[in-house]
């Protein structure tokens, strides 16, 4: 056997041995294009806080946690939320959400919530646990919880808030020396997207100085279309010649949802507004008398009054007869005392 034949035989033997090895151990050769699977990894991508059920003293804060995952499956995952008072540092509420198994990569949202008092601000600490071991933590701060409107008082119907058009307009229907009948018109606007249900309008007419209720009235405000304004008018009867505050309130199922105030100025000597009281000059018709024969007398009286204010009576500027006599006597006494 020559050398060339020997080399070919050896190469063939190597190929046969390699083929036998691959068949016997198919995992012995790995595809270099395949990457090994990474261990499971969890991260908090984002946290969104939104109001939930708003009650009289407490509020529910809903927490949406965007949990990011990559790698292999992660089991026994939990998310814990703690609400801590921003000023006190005390734990207010704590909840835990059992997530279970996380796989498939990408993001998923885990929903939870905490209950807090409807006052002040809070620090929300969110932690992610795997098999009881903390792997991620993020803090979110919340303030102004007291501004959230309770669900029972959340009505889109309220008094019209305009710079010119009044929410309460008062006019006199009839009056005598003892009583005055007033017509009170209130403007109600629906700021919602749907037609409103019926609400109750209640009016109290209070005498300005004493606060005594002079009269009251109730009316039903029917359904108001979205974005529309309706006017409700009623009448009340009060003692004449007094000033009054007109307190108006809207109630939905006996829950106060809005209130406003107007005034009725029936006393010509004094006027009031919703926030202050101002004194006016008293009106008298005599201040504007004049003309005709009576006007001559009035003119004469006015001239005499003017002379009196100037200290003038008989045409002597600035002096009257009494002053002149007193001056002469003083001069005579002074002359006699001189040597």
């Amino acid at each position: 056997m020559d050398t060339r034949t020997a080399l070919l035989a050896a190469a063939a033997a190597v190929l046969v041995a390699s083929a036998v090895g691959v068949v016997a151990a198919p995992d012995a050769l790995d595809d270099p294009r395949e990457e090994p699977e990474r261990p499971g990894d969890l991260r908090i991508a984002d946290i969104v806080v939104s109001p939930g059920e708003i009650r009289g003293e407490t509020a529910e804060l809903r927490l949406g946690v965007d949990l990011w995952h990559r790698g292999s499956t992660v089991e026994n995952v939990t998310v814990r939320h703690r609400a801590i008072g921003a000023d006190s540092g005390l734990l207010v509420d704590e909840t835990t959400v059992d997530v279970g198994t996380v796989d498939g990569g990408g993001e998923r949202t885990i929903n939870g919530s905490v209950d807090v008092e409807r006052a002040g601000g809070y620090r929300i600490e969110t932690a992610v646990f795997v098999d009881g071991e903390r792997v991620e933590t993020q803090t979110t701060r919340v303030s102004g919880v007291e501004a959230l409107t309770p669900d029972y008082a959340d009505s889109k119907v309220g008094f019209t808030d305009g710079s010119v058009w009044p929410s309460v307009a008062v006019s006199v229907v009839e009056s005598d020396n003892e009583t005055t009948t007033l017509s009170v018109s209130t403007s109600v606007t629906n700021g919602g997207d749907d037609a409103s249900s019926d609400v109750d309008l209640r009016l109290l007419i209070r005498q300005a100085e004493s606060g005594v209720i002079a009269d009251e009235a109730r009316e039903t405000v029917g359904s108001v279309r979205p974005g529309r304004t309706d006017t409700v008018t009623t009448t009340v009867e009060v003692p004449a010649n007094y000033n009054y505050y007109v307190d108006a309130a809207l109630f939905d199922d006996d829950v106060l949802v809005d209130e406003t105030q107007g005034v009725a100025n029936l006393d010509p000597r004094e006027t009031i507004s919703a926030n202050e009281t101002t004194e006016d000059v008293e009106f008298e018709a005599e201040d504007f008398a004049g003309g005709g024969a009576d006007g001559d007398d009035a003119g004469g009286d006015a001239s005499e009054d003017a002379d009196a204010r100037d200290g003038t009576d008989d045409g002597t500027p600035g002096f009257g007869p009494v002053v002149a006599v007193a001056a002469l006597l003083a001069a005579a006494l002074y002359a006699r005392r001189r040597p």
Side-chain angles (χ1 to χ4, degrees):
M1 180 180 296
D2 57 12
T3 304
R4 183 178 180 181
T5 303
L7 291 174
L8 291 174
V14 171
L15 291 174
V16 171
S18 298
V20 172
V22 170
V23 173
D27 297 334
L29 295 178
D30 294 331
D31 187 350
R33 294 173 298 179
E34 295 182 1
E35 297 181 359
E37 188 177 13
R38 298 177 180 180
D41 187 18
L42 292 176
R43 292 289 183 270
I44 296 177
D46 194 14
I47 299 178
V48 177
V49 182
S50 60
E53 182 183 358
I54 309 301
R55 313 171 193 95
E57 295 183 351
T58 61
E60 176 192 27
L61 300 180
R62 294 175 180 172
L63 307 169
V65 180
D66 293 333
L67 203 60
W68 178 81
H69 167 257
R70 74 171 181 177
S72 60
T73 300
V74 181
E75 298 179 347
N76 195 19
V77 178
T78 56
V79 176
R80 186 189 69 192
H81 302 291
R82 282 179 173 174
I84 300 173
D87 297 329
S88 66
L90 299 176
L91 178 65
V92 177
D93 192 24
E94 177 180 331
T95 59
T96 300
V97 180
D98 186 6
V99 181
T101 301
V102 178
D103 57 9
E107 290 186 8
R108 59 182 297 185
T109 301
I110 309 300
N111 295 317
S113 66
V114 291
D115 290 335
V116 298
E117 293 183 2
R118 201 166 59 87
Y122 299 91
R123 185 174 73 251
I124 310 298
E125 295 182 354
T126 300
V128 179
F129 294 85
V130 176
D131 287 330
E133 180 180 353
R134 186 192 307 230
V135 297
E136 183 76 345
T137 301
Q138 186 166 316
T139 299
T140 307
R141 300 185 185 277
V142 178
S143 61
V145 180
E146 63 274 11
L148 298 174
T149 304
D151 294 342
Y152 58 75
D154 187 13
S155 175
K156 302 302 180 183
V157 177
F159 291 108
T160 303
D161 186 13
S163 58
V164 177
W165 193 262
S167 57
V168 178
V170 182
S171 60
V172 176
V173 177
E174 59 180 354
S175 180
D176 55 32
N177 292 331
E178 295 184 355
T179 61
T180 299
T181 302
L182 301 175
S183 174
V184 181
S185 297
T186 56
S187 296
V188 179
T189 299
N190 180 7
D193 296 332
D194 302 316
S196 66
S197 57
D198 293 353
V199 295
D200 294 330
L201 169 66
R202 303 180 188 179
L203 298 175
L204 292 179
I205 316 300
R206 292 187 296 116
Q207 201 273 328
E209 286 76 20
S210 66
V212 173
I213 304 299
D215 200 2
E216 59 182 292
R218 292 192 179 190
E219 294 288 343
T220 298
V221 181
S223 178
V224 182
R225 291 181 297 164
R228 302 299 196 273
T229 298
D230 282 358
T231 300
V232 181
T233 302
T234 187
T235 58
V236 293
E237 189 175 274
V238 296
N241 301 322
Y242 291 96
N243 293 330
Y244 298 92
Y245 290 110
V246 181
D247 300 326
L250 291 176
F251 287 82
D252 186 0
D253 193 21
D254 289 334
V255 175
L256 178 64
V257 296
D258 197 12
E259 56 186 355
T260 188
Q261 187 180 76
V263 296
N265 288 307
L266 305 182
D267 185 350
R269 299 169 301 175
E270 181 182 7
T271 62
I272 63 171
S273 67
N275 298 315
E276 63 182 3
T277 300
T278 58
E279 295 286 340
D280 284 350
V281 176
E282 183 178 357
F283 174 82
E284 290 185 3
E286 289 77 9
D287 292 342
F288 298 91
D294 293 337
D296 295 336
D297 294 339
D301 293 341
S303 176
E304 293 174 2
D305 292 341
D307 291 340
R309 287 193 298 269
D310 293 339
T312 305
D313 188 9
D314 58 353
T316 306
F319 296 94
V322 176
V323 177
V325 172
L328 292 174
L329 291 176
L333 290 175
Y334 180 76
R336 290 184 62 184
R337 289 180 181 179
R338 292 185 62 183

